[in-house]
Amino acid sequence: MEDPAPAETPSSPADASPLISPTQALQRHHAGAHIWEIDWFSSYQPSNHALLTAAFAQGHIPAAVLVSIQDDLSEPRASTVSEVHPEGIPFTRIASPSLLRERLGRLGLKSFDDEVVIYARAAPVLSSRVVGMMGATRAWWVLSSWGLKNVTVMDGGFESWVSDGLAIEEGPSNRPAGTCFNVSGLVDGSASWRASSDQVCSAIQEDEGDVLVVDTLQGWPNTATRYGKALGPERMGHIAEAINAPAAGLLDANGRFLRPEAIKAYFEANQVDLSAPVIVY
């Protein structure tokens, strides 16, 4: 079966906030929403999977399903192997409607109108809510870039659910029965939701100063240390001409996102002009 032609571009990421509170997540759960806990840690180190599944079994949001960024929402790692990345890229974006149909169908989704609530927990090893939230927002980005309309992220993650006194459930992740996901109506928002390497190269040229490239990783100026060390010291820095605004600065001490005015002030303090086109990584 051929992939359908893409429809119109999905809404802009800035159209509405995808964040909801734990209480709102509970309401959506009672209304039948799919609840996904995102595993991003296993993408970095396969041994992390056992740690996360054990933590999930000890307690999770009722009816939640453990969803892997690598295995459920990325292209097969083998397909990304290259001379530069001999082991492949640990997480990408699903690139075809046919693969999306297969992956979302096995997660129990039926159409792009299905409601999905996404959350994460602090990294079992790092005790970092930042890494977990980065995984949750990445999952939101992947689904939204394909035009799924009803995808939200629970602010503060599992720890906020617990601190708000909401009930938890024990036991392993039990996935729903597979379905036939209807790709009719799906749109590939690649053009507005992601930048190609050519677009990044164009943005950092001196005559293309209207586009900002923002590095959201920690460890500036050597934010690529983890990824580039196998390629030599010259690949352990950051993209040329990028400015740094670590994603960690967007969260408060409780792992919840700052208020909009505080987020605006944070970006302004880091010289990020939100009125300009921005490419982030």
Side-chain angles (χ1 to χ4, degrees):
M1 180 178 179
E2 294 185 357
D3 291 337
E8 72 278 0
T9 300
S11 300
S12 164
D15 283 351
S17 172
L19 293 175
I20 61 173
S21 69
T23 299
Q24 291 171 316
L26 178 62
Q27 294 169 345
R28 284 164 170 73
H29 163 57
H30 289 321
H34 298 267
I35 311 295
W36 289 2
E37 178 174 322
I38 299 300
D39 170 15
W40 197 18
F41 314 118
S42 300
S43 302
Y44 294 101
Q45 182 67 38
S47 60
N48 289 345
H49 180 70
L51 298 173
L52 191 64
T53 53
F56 183 93
Q58 291 173 5
H60 55 265
I61 293 177
V65 172
L66 194 56
V67 175
S68 166
I69 286 287
Q70 173 64 59
D71 296 334
D72 296 313
L73 297 176
S74 297
E75 287 290 305
R77 188 161 181 168
S79 70
T80 65
V81 170
S82 67
E83 183 177 347
V84 176
H85 300 285
E87 297 181 359
I89 301 174
F91 45 87
T92 54
R93 173 186 177 270
I94 291 178
S96 71
S98 58
L99 182 58
L100 193 75
R101 178 194 303 119
E102 173 195 334
R103 297 286 183 78
L104 297 187
R106 75 186 188 188
L107 288 168
L109 271 64
K110 295 180 180 179
S111 80
F112 68 98
D113 290 318
D114 283 9
E115 187 165 17
V116 182
V117 175
I118 294 169
Y119 77 96
R121 69 176 69 222
V125 176
L126 305 174
S127 298
S128 169
R129 295 194 190 187
V130 175
V131 177
M133 188 57 70
M134 289 174 72
T137 53
R138 182 179 181 86
W140 167 82
W141 169 75
V142 171
L143 297 180
S144 298
S145 73
W146 277 104
L148 276 78
K149 301 176 180 177
N150 299 313
V151 184
T152 51
V153 176
M154 191 182 76
D155 197 10
F158 180 64
E159 290 75 19
S160 289
W161 177 278
V162 173
S163 66
D164 283 2
L166 302 176
I168 63 173
E169 180 177 82
E170 297 180 354
S173 174
N174 294 312
R175 294 199 168 189
T179 63
C180 181
F181 182 81
N182 181 6
V183 294
S184 176
L186 278 173
V187 292
D188 183 353
S190 295
S192 62
W193 285 72
R194 71 183 181 94
S196 67
S197 56
D198 288 340
Q199 289 173 311
V200 175
C201 289
S202 178
I204 64 177
Q205 299 303 313
E206 292 184 4
D207 59 348
E208 297 288 343
D210 57 328
V211 179
L212 295 177
V213 178
V214 181
D215 182 318
T216 64
L217 302 172
Q218 299 186 72
W220 184 264
N222 297 316
T223 59
T225 297
R226 178 182 181 88
Y227 312 102
K229 61 184 177 181
L231 304 175
E234 70 280 2
R235 305 299 296 172
M236 293 167 60
H238 58 271
I239 293 177
E241 306 302 325
I243 57 179
N244 184 238
L250 299 175
L251 304 181
D252 65 17
N254 296 314
R256 302 194 189 209
F257 277 91
L258 302 175
R259 301 293 296 171
E261 59 272 16
I263 289 177
K264 181 180 179 181
Y266 175 74
F267 282 125
E268 288 177 348
N270 285 282
Q271 301 181 321
V272 179
D273 180 1
L274 296 178
S275 67
V278 177
I279 298 173
V280 300
Y281 71 93

